[in-house]
Every structure is written in structure tokens, then in C-alpha cells.
Amino acid sequence: MPVYSMTGYASAQHNGAQAPSGQEARATTGRLGLEIRSVNSRFLDLSFRLPEELRQHEPALRELLQGRLKRGKVEVRGGVEGGAGDAVADPGARLLQRLASLQDTVRSWLPEAPALGVADVLRLSAAQQAPAGDWGEAVQQLARQALDDLLASREREGARLAAMLLGHLEQLRALAGQARPLVPQLVEQQRARFLERWNEAMALGGGTGGAPATEAAQDRALAEATAFAIRIDVAEELTRLGAHLDEIERLVKKGGEVGKRLDFLIQELHREANTLGSKSAALELTRISVDMKVLVEQMREQVQNIE
């Protein structure tokens, strides 16, 4: 399955002069348009901005989107524009008389109300003369078309995010490979340093104290070296980090609804990279930890957009 981003956009239009889906339907005038915008969100959050003519179709649109989208903040906008041939409606004497009467009534109660303009009269005239029309089937057809386009857009963006994540995984593996041999080298260097200091102490002391004291001092130096080795050992962190990287790669290649699981694994990666830095006893290991955290933070930003 592909990886889907939660970011996408799609739009579709329908000319009301055509009968929807080849069936005989009540006449509709104007042009119907739908657009769907989607951004990232923890859950599926649907909002609709529809004109009065389309408000009744909101439940059906909501059901359609809930059946195919799992996460994201999704906004659906709809509108009906113009009329057949973009003709200007003739208000007629009776309508003009009625509008004038209504205006007088309103302004008798609200003297500050503005007078009707030409654009207002023409708009009200068009609303009176336009057939009611039934956009139901056209709305469903457009919604399915726009939803298909949205999913295609989210799939393309998801493929780009997946490729970026896989690239970052390879970089993290390379950094882990650089860190792995550093710890044994540091342990050996510290062990040699402890023994060197022990030899210097023995030489300054003239080797007094006898063999038992000498052996005790040597054992203490080796114990300190061992404690240092335990303190800076990051083998466990590197092992867990490798396991997280493998799981992330498996999920990305599997696809589907993996965003929440990826987000959890990214948090675990960040924890291991932090621990690696806190145990660092060498500048090179600190640099590796910082580079890892930069990559993990970049991955976190990308994973926030995956469904």
C-alpha cells in the first residue's frame, strides 16, 4: 500500500446545463464547483462551507469523506455560480414594485438601512426566477471526482515523504556505524591511561608497600577503567536505535495508516540519540549524536504529515 500525506488539494466543476450522469433530472442552472483542502491533524476533522442550495447535501458528503479519509483537517468548499448562458435576469414591473414596497416597510422600522442597489435587485430577481434544481447527484459525482484527485495528490506527496524518510534512515545507519567502533577505542585508551598513572604512582612511591599493595592498586585502576567503560557504553542504545530504524523502514514500505506508529518511533529515536550524546566521552561521538538529532528532527517534521 502507498504512504499517504495528509496535505492535498483538489477541485471539480459541473455545468448545470447538462443532465447529471446521463439520467433525467430536474433542470439546474449555473455552474457547480467543489474544492477540498487537506492539512495534517491528529484525527479526521471535517468542515464544510456550502451555500444554502447545497447545505442539505452535507451529511452525504461527510459520510463519503469519512469512508475514504482517516486523518487530516479537511475543508470542503462548494458554490453555485451564474446561470445558463450567464443571462441577466429581467426583474419585471411586479417584482420591482414588490421590492420597493418591502424596502419602504423595512426602512420605516430601520431608517438607517441602506437602499437597494441595482446589483441587489438583479441578484434577488435571479434568485426568484431560477428553477429550484436538484444538485444532489451532481454534488455526489463532483465529490467523488474531487476526492479521487485529492487522494492522488496525497499519494504523490506521501511517496515523496517516504523517499525522504528512507534516505534519512540510511544516513542514521551510517552514523550508527561510525559510532559503534568508537566506544571500544575510548575504553582501551582510558584503560591504558589508568595503568600509566598507576605505573607512575608506583615509580614515585618506589614500589613500597609490597606485592599485595601493588596488586590492590592495580586492581583499583582496572576497576576504575571498567566503571568508565560501563558508563560510556552505548552498545544497548545503538542496538535499540537499529531496531527502531528497521521498524520504521518496514512501516514505510508497508504503507497504509502508519503515521501514528511512525510518530511514536521517531520519539524513541530521539531518546536514543539524546542518550548517546549524554554518554559521550569524545568529541567525535558528540558530533555523531548532534547529527543524529538533526536528522531525527527532520524526520519528525515529515512524519507529522503522514496519514
Side-chain angles (χ1 to χ4, degrees):
M1 292 181 65
V3 171
Y4 287 98
S5 168
M6 286 186 281
T7 302
Y9 172 83
S11 64
Q13 289 78 38
H14 170 78
N15 187 344
Q18 301 171 355
S21 300
Q23 296 183 25
E24 185 175 342
R26 192 159 39 147
T28 55
T29 61
R31 183 176 59 190
L32 171 65
L34 277 181
E35 63 178 32
I36 307 177
R37 304 170 185 267
S38 172
V39 295
N40 63 307
S41 175
R42 291 186 63 190
F43 308 100
L44 182 60
D45 181 9
L46 301 178
S47 63
F48 295 85
R49 297 191 176 184
L50 303 174
E52 196 62 37
E53 307 96 298
L54 305 179
R55 195 72 54 79
Q56 60 182 316
H57 304 298
E58 180 178 325
L61 290 174
R62 184 178 296 274
E63 183 179 356
L64 178 64
L65 267 62
Q66 287 175 336
R68 300 186 64 184
L69 300 176
K70 304 304 178 185
R71 292 178 64 198
K73 182 176 177 60
V74 181
E75 181 183 74
V76 180
R77 291 174 178 261
V80 180
E81 299 179 354
D86 292 330
V88 178
D90 183 356
R94 291 185 59 186
L95 179 61
L96 289 173
Q97 184 178 8
R98 183 179 175 211
L99 289 175
S101 175
L102 289 173
Q103 177 177 250
D104 291 340
T105 301
V106 171
R107 298 188 75 182
S108 67
W109 289 91
L110 303 171
E112 301 300 324
L116 286 172
V118 174
D120 298 324
V121 172
L122 292 177
R123 177 173 52 81
L124 292 170
S125 175
Q128 288 288 321
Q129 296 181 18
D134 182 5
W135 290 105
E137 188 173 348
V139 167
Q140 285 292 312
Q141 177 185 337
L142 278 192
R144 286 191 292 269
Q145 178 185 337
L147 189 53
D148 287 341
D149 292 345
L150 178 72
L151 289 173
S153 170
R154 288 170 57 144
E155 182 178 348
R156 289 192 298 271
E157 177 68 12
R160 187 185 68 81
L161 294 177
M164 186 177 297
L165 287 175
L166 292 175
H168 284 357
L169 292 180
E170 290 307 310
Q171 295 181 60
L172 285 170
R173 285 195 177 99
L175 288 171
Q178 296 173 24
R180 197 163 280 110
L182 289 179
V183 174
Q185 294 174 13
L186 290 171
V187 171
E188 185 56 34
Q189 290 172 8
Q190 191 65 18
R191 181 176 179 276
R193 191 176 297 117
F194 278 135
L195 290 176
E196 181 181 350
R197 287 159 62 184
W198 171 76
N199 288 327
E200 290 176 356
M202 290 298 100
L204 290 174
T208 58
T214 300
E215 290 178 3
Q218 186 177 17
D219 290 343
R220 180 178 177 183
L222 293 175
E224 290 181 4
T226 301
F228 173 80
I230 294 173
R231 190 167 63 251
I232 70 167
D233 184 24
V234 292
E236 185 177 347
E237 284 76 14
L238 291 176
T239 299
R240 286 199 298 265
L241 188 142
H244 296 330
L245 294 178
D246 291 343
E247 180 64 10
I248 291 173
E249 181 176 5
R250 186 188 71 81
L251 289 174
V252 170
K253 291 183 176 179
K254 172 189 173 185
E257 302 167 35
V258 296
K260 291 183 178 180
R261 295 181 66 183
L262 287 176
D263 189 47
F264 170 75
L265 289 169
I266 293 298
Q267 294 179 34
E268 295 301 304
L269 279 183
H270 194 270
R271 182 177 292 110
E272 303 304 339
N274 267 336
T275 305
L276 193 68
S278 65
K279 287 188 173 183
S280 173
L283 188 60
E284 181 65 14
L285 201 56
T286 300
R287 180 195 65 79
I288 290 174
S289 172
V290 170
D291 289 347
M292 280 185 172
K293 285 191 281 189
V294 170
L295 287 171
V296 171
E297 190 59 35
Q298 292 173 353
M299 293 174 69
R300 187 203 302 276
E301 293 176 3
Q302 303 306 322
V303 163
Q304 296 299 320
N305 288 318
I306 293 180
E307 186 176 65

